[in-house]
Amino acid sequence: MNIARGSFQQNATFSMTCRRRARTSLRIISDMRADRSSVENEDMIAEQGHFVWYELLTTDIASAAAFYHQVLGWEVRDASTARFAYRVLTADGAPVSGLMALPPEGIARGAAPRWAGYVAVDDLDASVSRLTALGGTVYVPPTASNIGRIAIVADPQTATLALVEGPTIAVPQRDRDRIGRVGWHELLAAERRQAFAFYEGLFGWQTVGGDAALNDTYQLFAMGADTLGGMFTKLPRAPFPFWLYYFNVADLNVALQHLAALGGKVVQGPIEQPNGIWIARCIDPQGAMFAVQGERPGATSADAPPFEIGWAAEWGGFTSRGRMIERRGSLPEPAAKRPPSKR
């Protein structure tokens, strides 16, 4: 598939779905809102520039819900209306992501399942204006939706994400290290230095210091004191730039056993990190890419797959490249990153 055409199809379908969702008055379960304390609401106000919500667009809602229930331990709450099917996925009773169907017209145009992340902004209109001035694209202009006022956008290299002002449902930043939450955000960019400059101008993200060799190929980024993830330049054979989300699990071995039994695929890993956490990059049965990270009881460096030397990831026919490192099977990892909490 032509890379630019494929990216356009994916982003156009994402915007199509969100427009449909925005036109429908969805019911987000009332007890989720009622359970929030005033402290949690204060946290939401402080989430400017942070990822606060995630959604999976898929071809089979029921199968996807069952898959992630087994792999990540999520429960499912129905927030649908007669016109629009929507699920809220929860961990420990708290909402962590949404689940919706790809529209048939999008599937017919070749769109594939995908995860999407929402970044909180204080002023959506100003953020959209700044994004266009920086060379980004707006697929859905500021629109009222079930999760807040949103805009669906892409960076100048076509990686898609969403902006949300006044989120009505979100994952507090303080919960990012808990099991079942997204603990890391990774951008496979067409050119990571240009990509970072865009996001720095849009959100005020900062670089994170440390290993100079690491930062030469894998740029860590933060919002204030919170390290959020990393960016690197993908190889040309990657289909298009995209954001990859890492979900925290208590036991990587168990999660991957469930994943394999339900038809998912591990496309890279398990890979040991310097802090004792292991990661694996995966594809769910419907084709959406995601990653998991967590402890791997009893495993040692010798248990890393023999082909994992440095960072050369064969991922479903395309490759990403990172820094070569000394220990076989490991991947550059920020020192500030903490193991997932077992709470």
Side-chain angles (χ1 to χ4, degrees), residues 261-274:
L262 293 170
K265 296 180 181 178
V266 176
V267 293
Q268 187 191 19
I271 305 169
E272 186 185 13
Q273 304 298 290

Side-chain angles (χ1 to χ4, degrees), residues 268-285:
Q268 187 191 19
I271 305 169
E272 186 185 13
Q273 304 298 290
N275 60 359
I277 295 300
W278 293 69
I279 67 169
R281 297 184 175 94
C282 311
I283 300 177
D284 73 19

Side-chain angles (χ1 to χ4, degrees), residues 300-314:
T300 67
S301 298
D303 296 317
F307 57 85
E308 299 288 357
I309 301 176
W311 185 0
E314 284 293 338

Side-chain angles (χ1 to χ4, degrees), residues 72 92 174-184 246-252 273 275-279 291-296 333 336-343:
L72 300 179
D92 304 319
R174 69 174 187 276
D175 288 348
R176 190 166 65 90
D177 292 324
R178 299 185 67 177
I179 298 302
R181 280 68 167 179
V182 174
W184 196 247
Y246 286 70
F247 299 102
N248 301 327
V249 296
D251 186 323
L252 194 72
Q273 304 298 290
N275 60 359
I277 295 300
W278 293 69
I279 67 169
V292 288
Q293 60 181 16
E295 295 179 356
R296 195 178 175 210
E333 176 73 14
K337 190 176 179 185
R338 298 185 299 276
S341 168
K342 291 185 174 58
R343 291 177 293 170

Side-chain angles (χ1 to χ4, degrees), residues 96-129:
V96 293
S97 65
L99 174 62
M100 69 178 86
L102 279 169
E105 56 268 39
I107 297 172
R109 294 171 61 183
R114 67 192 302 177
W115 277 97
Y118 286 74
V119 178
V121 295
D122 293 334
D123 186 328
L124 184 60
D125 294 317
S127 295
V128 167
S129 295

Side-chain angles (χ1 to χ4, degrees), residues 156-190:
Q157 299 177 20
T158 73
T160 304
L161 73 159
L163 312 180
V164 57
E165 175 188 334
T168 61
I169 189 170
V171 181
Q173 180 64 22
R174 69 174 187 276
D175 288 348
R176 190 166 65 90
D177 292 324
R178 299 185 67 177
I179 298 302
R181 280 68 167 179
V182 174
W184 196 247
H185 311 85
E186 193 168 74
L187 176 63
L188 286 78

